[in-house]
Amino acid sequence: MSDKPLVYFLCTGNSCRSQMADGFLNALGGDKYEVKSAGLEAHGLHPRAVQVMKEAGVDISGNTSDVINPDILNRATYVITLCGHADEHCPVIQNPNVIKWHWGFDDPAKATGTEDEIMAQFRNVRDAIKARIEAFVQQGK
């Protein structure tokens, strides 16, 4: 267990958005925060998420897709949902000291079109998440 504030990113499947947020916060603020991510379900790490994060210089290929752990949920400093479904269906947080935020991002796994169009959506979401993580780290929250 770490004495750093724990940030727990939650999404529906823990395959794209929460993995990107996990990767960026570890890369940009891992010295300040303990970082974990999970989903309401575990859909596996999306290969396109791994690819676009690699393009940004962050390797998430070793990450695992995990289901929300109630113990981690209740010892987190910040619980941050990244999709509306996870926000609406997040398990009840028993610890009143947990700060819960919702940062909504479109699901790139639902993108349609050509491969280039789908990858563009993954990159757009990646870049939006990176900007939000950079602001979080700069503000110290």
Side-chain angles (χ1 to χ4, degrees), residues 54-120:
K54 186 175 182 180
E55 292 171 5
V58 178
D59 182 8
I60 62 169
S61 64
N63 287 18
T64 58
S65 180
D66 302 311
V67 174
I68 296 170
N69 178 318
D71 293 332
I72 296 172
L73 185 73
N74 285 294
R75 76 172 175 85
T77 307
Y78 301 97
V79 170
I80 302 172
T81 56
L82 301 169
C83 67
H85 186 256
D87 187 40
E88 294 165 15
H89 296 93
C90 180
V92 173
I93 301 169
Q94 303 294 331
N95 181 347
N97 297 317
V98 173
I99 299 164
K100 183 176 179 285
W101 289 329
H102 175 65
W103 301 346
F105 297 98
D106 291 336
D107 186 355
K110 292 185 177 174
T112 58
T114 66
E115 182 63 18
D116 286 345
E117 291 167 337
I118 292 169
M119 289 304 292

Side-chain angles (χ1 to χ4, degrees), residues 7 11 25 36 51 95-96 100-101 106 108-109 115 123 136:
V7 179
C11 223
L25 187 54
K36 296 193 178 293
Q51 182 180 340
N95 181 347
K100 183 176 179 285
W101 289 329
D106 291 336
E115 182 63 18
R123 290 180 185 107
F136 176 84

